[in-house]
Amino acid sequence: MNFTKSELEMLYQYVAPTKEETLAGLKEIVPVLERKDDLLTKMIVENTVRKLEKLAEPECSRFIADNRAAFIAERDNSIRRRLAGAAKEPVLLGHDLAGTERFLPGTRHMVTVEILNSDSPVGFPGERYRFFLSDEGYKNARASEGRGEVKIRSHAAVCAGKLYPDKKPKQPER
């Protein structure tokens, strides 16, 4: 028996432990759909009921359980995928974008640095920091980069709190 994606979604929403309970839940909403003039949803529910009634009990209960497990696995997988993607990019430590350091009169540079080794004046290897620096502070950051302690990942000029990045951000492809 072939179920459409819409029918499988409907089945997942009204799933119950047994075939009879699942069918009762689906049949319960048909009168409500008639009053709301939601013809497409009504047809999906009716088709789902018809197809489920044709399945024998042990097979139907197994099918319902497998469908539910597939939807839960898909949901969990998407959440795990997003969390894994977020974990790849390290959290920025240091100065906040809205912090007061950005608006100080002597601030001329914003840098994002990655700590390369434990000889660095700040942090531990693998961490990333954002700093708002004066000209002298930027010279020190460049010197640390020259010694191999940090890697400057990005730089922006700062004037009165406004950021002027050195490179234009890439335009997304259309």
Side-chain angles (χ1 to χ4, degrees):
M1 180 94 29
N2 291 332
F3 285 79
T4 65
K5 184 170 176 59
S6 298
E7 291 167 345
L8 291 173
E9 288 173 355
M10 190 64 63
L11 179 61
Y12 170 68
Q13 292 174 10
Y14 289 93
V15 71
T18 65
K19 174 182 176 179
E20 290 77 26
E21 291 174 17
T22 303
L23 286 171
L26 288 168
K27 289 177 181 178
E28 196 175 272
I29 64 168
V30 173
V32 175
L33 294 173
E34 288 175 353
R35 285 181 280 171
K36 289 188 174 182
D37 297 327
D38 194 356
L39 185 62
L40 180 61
T41 306
K42 179 185 174 204
M43 289 175 52
I44 291 170
V45 171
E46 288 175 343
N47 287 338
T48 305
V49 168
R50 263 189 252 116
K51 289 179 182 178
L52 282 178
E53 287 175 336
K54 292 179 183 177
L55 293 174
E57 177 45 47
E59 181 187 350
C60 185
S61 293
R62 195 172 332 110
F63 173 73
I64 290 170
D66 291 346
N67 182 54
R68 184 173 190 271
F71 270 87
I72 290 172
E74 182 180 322
R75 180 198 67 200
D76 290 347
N77 186 26
S78 68
I79 291 170
R80 285 192 182 105
R81 215 175 324 123
R82 282 185 274 151
L83 287 174
K88 289 179 185 175
E89 187 64 32
V91 176
L92 279 178
L93 304 169
H95 297 152
D96 189 17
L97 273 176
T100 57
E101 300 88 359
R102 177 177 176 171
F103 301 97
L104 294 174
T107 301
R108 297 282 179 257
H109 306 272
M110 183 202 72
V111 293
T112 305
V113 297
E114 182 174 350
I115 309 302
L116 300 178
N117 62 40
S118 56
D119 294 337
S120 170
V122 231
F124 297 100
E127 293 180 334
R128 288 193 180 179
Y129 285 84
R130 175 188 302 117
F131 294 115
F132 290 97
L133 305 169
S134 64
D135 288 330
E136 186 65 31
Y138 183 61
K139 274 200 256 182
N140 292 339
R142 295 291 299 227
S144 281
E145 184 179 36
R147 292 189 301 267
E149 298 168 349
V150 299
K151 167 78 174 144
I152 297 178
R153 291 286 180 189
S154 66
H155 173 269
V158 180
C159 182
K162 292 185 180 179
L163 301 176
Y164 299 94
D166 290 345
K167 299 177 185 175
K168 288 185 178 180
K170 290 184 179 179
Q171 294 292 328
E173 293 183 22
R174 293 182 183 191

